[in-house]
Amino acid sequence: MKKLLSLIIACFFLQVAYPQTTQKPPLHGKHWMAITGKPLGATAGAMIFSQGGNAVDASCAMLAAVCTMWDVLSWGGETQALIYHPKTQEVIAINAMGIAPTGATVDFFKEKDMQYPPEFGPLAATTPGTPGGLMTMLAEYGTMSLEQVLSPAMEMAKGYPIEAQTANMIENRKELIKEWPYSKKIFLPHLGQEREAPYPGEIFVQEDLYQTLKKLVDAEKEALAEGKSRKEAIYAAYDRFYKGDIAEEIVRGTREQGGLFTMEDLAKWKVKIEEPLSTNYKGIEVYKLQEWTQGPVLLQSLNILENFDLKSMGYNSANYINTLYQAMSLAFADRDFYYGDPDFSPKSPMKGLLSKEYAKERAKLILDKNDPNIIPGDPYPFQNEQNPFLHLLEKRKDALAYYQPDLPILGTDDPFLQSFLSGTTSIQAADKEGWVVSITPSGGWIPAAIAGNTGVGLSQRMQSFVLDEALNPYNLLEPGKRPRVTLTPSMALKEGKPFLSFAVQGGDTQDQDLLQLFLNIVEFDMTVQEASEAANIHTYQMQSSFGAHESKPGSITLNTAVPSWIRKDLGNRGYKMNFLERTSGPLNAIWFDWKHKSFWGGSSNHGEDYGIAW
């Protein structure tokens, strides 16, 4: 009896000393940390770290691996990254977003009776950005050769056990895949059988992709043999992809299937190394990519929310949810009208949009109930200019062909909801030397049209342009232009040192989930793993960036754990609620514990995201 009592007491104290408040444990590391959307992808990063690579090297290996796994992207997609450089103590932005090809004009698509560019197929494709992004990051900030970081992906291309999620996605979209001959060849190894896609766990082989990656490595080797430096050799591989025989086959295969790419489109495109945008929230400097992404939405939301005492409202109280929902809706309304490629005119009024004074004016519009009629503001006076597009704001609602405030969200199978929640992956890495990397790559998801015999799945990002300037004069389609994308890695510094690196997969929900993760840590004292699993809310008041581009003002997704009295309160405030069991989004994050000189990693319980640390 004494032994049993001692065991019970020991178990009690064990629970007190080691509480497990999350479904997944937090990661802890001292030397390095690698997190991404698939376990095999994280393993690729760990392999590079174990060989002496830095966080940039490991991130490039993870990026190559998840592209090869079609973890909701491919090699023909786009890569967006933030890198903390420990020597300069600066955050660097990587813009590897492809462009609209020659011939992709508003008139071209309108003549085909399209309200937006298509969701799928060769005409949905912007030029490939991810290979250039990977090679630029590696050349400029890595330490290893391209051969080293591509090695795990090349081994996988020779054959790896495909996971159920991807295998079943192929099977579910096989009728569309069959429209593109090169996709059918790779994705449907059991053509004519009842199940034509690979089976879960089947060894999935991509010989065409392997040969493409081998050509890149061969170009690097040839340059090194000629006495070129590591950096020059990587850029030799870059040139082979965008100007050589790989580019020729991408263009040939894309045009054969009805696409618009030209050799000049690929050759003229360049990765851009940029300065990120930022704002300061209570002493924490938060960094996002420029306005060709939706990233500044998070900065605008923080500026608005800074005018409220969120902590006193309480986590996920009715008042907090109402305030958060409307702040995000205000910021997203500005996104929908003002964001676009800064290399083209007109230029987005970012100084005004990120002004603290502008945020104070927007905060005054938040009511104690939902306002379904939130519209873009006028930031121009806050940068001492006149708004040239006020006349378009008056026409904007008429241009919203899919403005559907009264249609409910039907559940997880609702195509509208799927378009908001699905897509992409994220990559987080850090090392003891101080390098930190946050990446949100995407594009070329299943069902993807594959570009000839390259094994490269084409992007579907053209659909994020608009064809009517009344919707967004800054994001109107033009050849050579980058669409305003949802992809949005994040980084935060405190007292000049890395505080939080975070990213998430999804679409228009990305900066909603990232905002709430940040607030959960800063305002509600959650650990990074608790914040990664916490119950988020989602608004659909903005215009979707995909498909039919619907908008459903007042619709809100809540966690099933939200109590009845809060549901009743929100219903009385005009919200149309739907509920999901997991609402955190597939978040990945690294929090920096400077007191103990260690990393804490968070990876949500939402999907297959996974991390490894040492």
Side-chain angles (χ1 to χ4, degrees), residues 243-316:
K243 299 176 182 178
D245 56 344
I246 299 173
E248 290 172 355
E249 179 59 14
I250 288 173
V251 170
R252 185 205 65 77
T254 302
R255 293 183 74 86
E256 177 193 332
Q257 298 174 92
L260 298 173
F261 288 2
T262 67
M263 286 294 292
E264 187 178 16
D265 291 331
L266 271 64
K268 289 178 67 175
W269 178 85
K270 299 291 182 187
V271 176
K272 295 171 68 66
I273 300 176
E274 303 177 334
E275 287 190 19
L277 299 174
S278 67
T279 196
N280 189 286
Y281 182 85
K282 299 186 175 181
I284 300 170
E285 201 71 24
V286 184
Y287 294 86
K288 300 292 285 189
L289 293 169
Q290 294 181 14
E291 65 270 21
W292 58 273
T293 75
Q294 71 173 355
V297 156
L298 186 144
L299 307 180
Q300 286 192 247
S301 298
L302 287 174
N303 286 346
I304 293 169
L305 291 168
E306 201 171 34
N307 295 283
F308 299 88
D309 185 355
L310 301 180
K311 198 178 190 75
S312 70
M313 293 181 186
Y315 168 71
N316 276 4

Side-chain angles (χ1 to χ4, degrees), residues 299-342:
L299 307 180
Q300 286 192 247
S301 298
L302 287 174
N303 286 346
I304 293 169
L305 291 168
E306 201 171 34
N307 295 283
F308 299 88
D309 185 355
L310 301 180
K311 198 178 190 75
S312 70
M313 293 181 186
Y315 168 71
N316 276 4
S317 67
N319 282 338
Y320 176 73
I321 291 172
N322 177 69
T323 303
L324 179 65
Y325 185 101
Q326 290 188 71
M328 292 193 296
S329 296
L330 287 162
F332 274 101
D334 285 342
R335 177 206 75 167
D336 287 348
F337 188 75
Y338 289 112
Y339 290 14
D341 187 344

Side-chain angles (χ1 to χ4, degrees), residues 453-604:
N453 294 305
T454 64
V456 172
L458 296 172
S459 171
Q460 300 98 338
R461 198 59 61 172
M462 285 285 293
Q463 64 186 299
S464 292
F465 280 114
V466 300
L467 303 181
D468 183 344
E469 73 166 0
L471 289 170
N472 182 341
Y474 307 84
N475 189 37
L476 194 66
L477 172 62
E478 291 183 53
K481 192 173 186 178
R482 291 169 168 85
R484 195 278 300 148
V485 299
T486 54
L487 307 162
T488 175
S490 312
M491 199 171 287
L493 305 186
K494 188 175 183 179
E495 298 175 353
K497 297 185 292 187
F499 170 75
L500 185 68
S501 180
F502 52 123
V504 66
Q505 59 176 286
D508 295 279
T509 57
Q510 283 187 36
D511 275 306
Q512 301 184 50
D513 289 325
L514 294 168
L515 173 67
Q516 290 170 84
L517 174 118
F518 179 83
L519 293 173
N520 288 342
I521 293 171
V522 174
E523 294 287 359
F524 300 111
D525 302 319
M526 295 187 192
T527 69
V528 69
Q529 184 60 38
E530 289 170 339
S532 296
E533 293 187 19
N536 290 345
I537 70 164
H538 291 140
T539 168
Y540 307 100
Q541 192 138 320
M542 78 291 291
Q543 189 175 18
S544 170
S545 301
F546 305 96
H549 294 249
E550 297 109 317
S551 172
K552 295 190 178 183
S555 290
I556 185 172
T557 291
L558 298 170
N559 193 276
T560 52
V562 170
S564 58
W565 59 89
I566 291 180
R567 298 184 187 196
K568 182 178 179 181
D569 191 333
L570 293 172
N572 291 336
R573 297 180 192 230
Y575 291 99
K576 295 180 282 292
M577 294 167 280
N578 70 89
F579 300 91
L580 297 175
E581 184 178 348
R582 295 182 182 182
T583 58
S584 65
L587 287 155
N588 289 319
I590 300 173
W591 179 76
F592 296 84
D593 184 348
W594 289 101
K595 180 180 179 181
H596 302 104
K597 295 182 172 57
S598 67
F599 311 122
W600 287 58
S603 187
S604 86

Side-chain angles (χ1 to χ4, degrees), residues 310-378:
L310 301 180
K311 198 178 190 75
S312 70
M313 293 181 186
Y315 168 71
N316 276 4
S317 67
N319 282 338
Y320 176 73
I321 291 172
N322 177 69
T323 303
L324 179 65
Y325 185 101
Q326 290 188 71
M328 292 193 296
S329 296
L330 287 162
F332 274 101
D334 285 342
R335 177 206 75 167
D336 287 348
F337 188 75
Y338 289 112
Y339 290 14
D341 187 344
D343 285 348
F344 283 71
S345 293
K347 306 284 186 184
S348 300
M350 296 313 299
K351 182 178 179 182
L353 287 169
L354 294 179
S355 159
K356 296 280 189 177
E357 293 305 311
Y358 176 66
K360 286 181 182 178
E361 292 303 309
R362 296 292 272 169
K364 293 175 184 177
L365 300 175
I366 292 179
L367 309 174
D368 62 0
K369 61 180 181 179
N370 184 54
D371 179 5
N373 298 311
I374 285 174
I375 62 171
D378 183 5

Side-chain angles (χ1 to χ4, degrees), residues 39-60:
L40 283 178
T43 301
M47 290 167 66
I48 296 301
F49 272 130
S50 67
Q51 294 168 23
N54 71 5
V56 178
D57 298 319
S59 295
C60 289

Side-chain angles (χ1 to χ4, degrees), residues 414-432:
D414 188 327
F416 169 81
L417 186 59
Q418 289 179 348
S419 75
F420 266 81
L421 299 179
S422 64
T424 197
T425 192
S426 64
I427 294 168
Q428 297 293 310
D431 64 38
K432 63 181 180 181

